[in-house]
Amino acid sequence: MSRLYDSIEPNVIDDEMLQKAVEEQGPQEEAGLLAKKEASISKMSWRYNILKIDNLWQFKNLTKLQLDNNIIEKIEALDTLVHLVWLDLSFNNIEVIEGLDALVKLQDLSLYNNRISKIENLDTLQELQVFSIGNNNIQTLENVIYLRQFQNLRTLNLTGNPVCENEVYSAFIAAYLPDLVYLDFRLVDDNSVRMKKFSPLSLIKLAEYNYEITKLSDVLMTEEMLLVDQKGLLKGIPVLCFLTFSPTMAQCRDLENQHHEKLLEISVNTLEKIVKSEFDEEMPDDVRMLFVDKDTIVNAVNASHDIHLLKIDNREDEIITKANGWASTLVENVHKTEIQRNRSRVLEINQYVDHLRSELDNMDILET
């Protein structure tokens, strides 16, 4: 929005600049004599990276002054230019409207592309017809109310300001500035002309109703998104299945480990008894063949343990695969249903909000 200082030295309007500006007006009978020319000059323009306005008191007959595309921060030193009709201060770094009280004949004022946040201090400019203050920081519609005092205002440019995002911006301006012909570089449209019959109070109420409708729409959409997020929790069902079965399978492994340790203990004790001929119980031949030495019996018990663990692992994989398949199918079906439900609900909300806005547009708003 604003222009930054560049490599060029910031300047103040001085005699040298004034002399050059005079020379640009045309040939002089006596070159270099500024006073001979100043009384007849009506137009002046500078683009010299000007930071400060000064020394213009000599040009009391100026009607047009162009100071755009500089780095001016403050409007000042214009009190003597009482005949000024046209003033261009666009593309500068101005933050406050001030220093214009004496310019009672001003008809065209451009403050486009500055840093202004409030329209003020223009009360004496009752001849104002064209006012450009686009690309600034005007936030509220109250600034438009201030402009109502200018009965001759026909052209207004506010484009690029935050206030333009207000839903009733155009209608509000049409109500408060009924004689406006051009708004933001466009001819005032038929809808705005229709809105001129409404009183300012009616427009304020209209703005309030529009705001409430927008707020209702936001609430409904937010609730719908929360519901969608809750349904999205179903995506975690496969994980929940895994977490559900994992403790059970872990217990199976613990039991198998306990069984393995106990079986190994019994097998070693049995081998010792067989070696000492203290084992009197009947034993099948294929089992007795394992009790040849300790390595053989330990290897046999460990092999049995490995087989049992493998079966537990396979069983766990089977259960989880089936559970995940079931859960994925469930989630997919719920997801499809949810998409259809969500689209239907969003459409329903939009249709309801459109209906409310349509009812509001067709409402008879009487003048007060």
Side-chain angles (χ1 to χ4, degrees), residues 98-110:
E98 58 186 341
L100 300 173
D101 294 346
L103 310 184
V104 295
K105 294 184 179 181
L106 199 63
Q107 298 178 8
D108 192 319
L109 174 61
S110 178

Side-chain angles (χ1 to χ4, degrees), residues 111-325:
L111 294 170
Y112 186 84
N113 208 100
N114 279 279
R115 300 175 177 178
I116 299 167
S117 59
K118 183 179 182 180
I119 302 177
E120 58 184 344
N121 300 323
L122 298 173
D123 300 52
T124 61
L125 310 186
Q126 293 302 311
E127 299 297 319
L128 194 62
Q129 299 178 16
V130 179
F131 183 37
S132 177
I133 193 167
N135 271 27
N136 277 274
N137 193 32
I138 307 299
Q139 301 276 348
T140 65
L141 288 171
E142 283 74 11
N143 288 277
V144 176
I145 299 176
Y146 176 82
L147 293 174
R148 197 177 188 189
Q149 63 181 295
F150 302 101
Q151 301 300 316
N152 295 311
L153 188 61
R154 297 294 180 269
T155 300
L156 175 64
N157 174 29
L158 282 164
T159 185
N161 283 285
V163 69
C164 298
E165 298 175 7
N166 192 301
E167 293 181 354
V168 295
Y169 162 73
S170 297
F172 196 90
I173 289 180
Y176 273 95
L177 306 176
D179 296 322
L180 204 63
V181 178
Y182 292 95
L183 173 62
D184 299 340
F185 307 113
R186 296 181 180 179
L187 190 68
V188 176
D189 58 27
D190 293 339
N191 183 58
S192 295
V193 172
R194 181 178 67 84
M195 297 301 288
K196 290 179 182 179
K197 69 180 181 181
F198 299 147
S199 68
L201 180 59
S202 298
L203 265 296
I204 292 174
K205 287 294 182 183
L206 183 63
E208 291 176 354
Y209 295 151
N210 268 292
Y211 172 75
E212 292 298 327
I213 291 174
T214 300
K215 187 165 68 172
L216 174 62
S217 175
D218 291 342
V219 170
L220 292 175
M221 285 298 186
T222 299
E223 291 296 326
E224 174 59 22
M225 292 308 299
L226 288 175
L227 183 58
V228 170
D229 289 341
Q230 291 174 358
K231 293 293 183 66
L233 294 176
L234 289 173
K235 295 180 179 179
I237 285 182
V239 176
L240 291 176
C241 291
F242 174 76
L243 294 177
T244 300
F245 289 113
S246 288
T248 301
M249 304 313 293
Q251 290 175 0
C252 290
R253 290 188 179 87
D254 289 340
L255 291 174
E256 169 56 28
N257 289 332
Q258 293 174 18
H259 170 73
H260 170 66
E261 292 175 0
K262 192 67 176 177
L263 180 59
L264 186 59
E265 180 184 354
I266 293 173
S267 298
V268 172
N269 291 336
T270 301
L271 177 62
E272 291 176 353
K273 290 182 180 181
I274 292 175
V275 171
K276 296 179 182 180
S277 300
E278 296 177 356
F279 190 79
D280 299 329
E281 298 179 17
E282 290 291 333
M283 182 182 296
D285 293 340
D286 56 343
V287 175
R288 184 175 292 275
M289 292 176 60
L290 297 174
F291 290 91
V292 176
D293 52 43
K294 186 175 181 179
D295 289 341
T296 301
I297 191 61
V298 169
N299 290 337
V301 172
N302 286 339
S304 174
H305 178 56
D306 291 340
I307 291 173
H308 290 165
L309 289 178
L310 180 60
K311 288 184 176 180
I312 292 173
D313 290 343
N314 291 339
R315 183 57 176 166
E316 181 181 40
D317 291 342
E318 181 184 353
I319 292 173
I320 291 177
T321 299
K322 289 182 178 180
N324 284 342

Side-chain angles (χ1 to χ4, degrees), residues 3-11 48-50 69-71 93:
R3 300 177 66 239
L4 301 176
Y5 296 98
D6 51 30
S7 58
I8 302 175
E9 183 77 17
N11 293 312
Y48 296 111
N49 229 40
I50 294 171
N69 286 281
N70 286 291
I71 52 175
N93 294 334

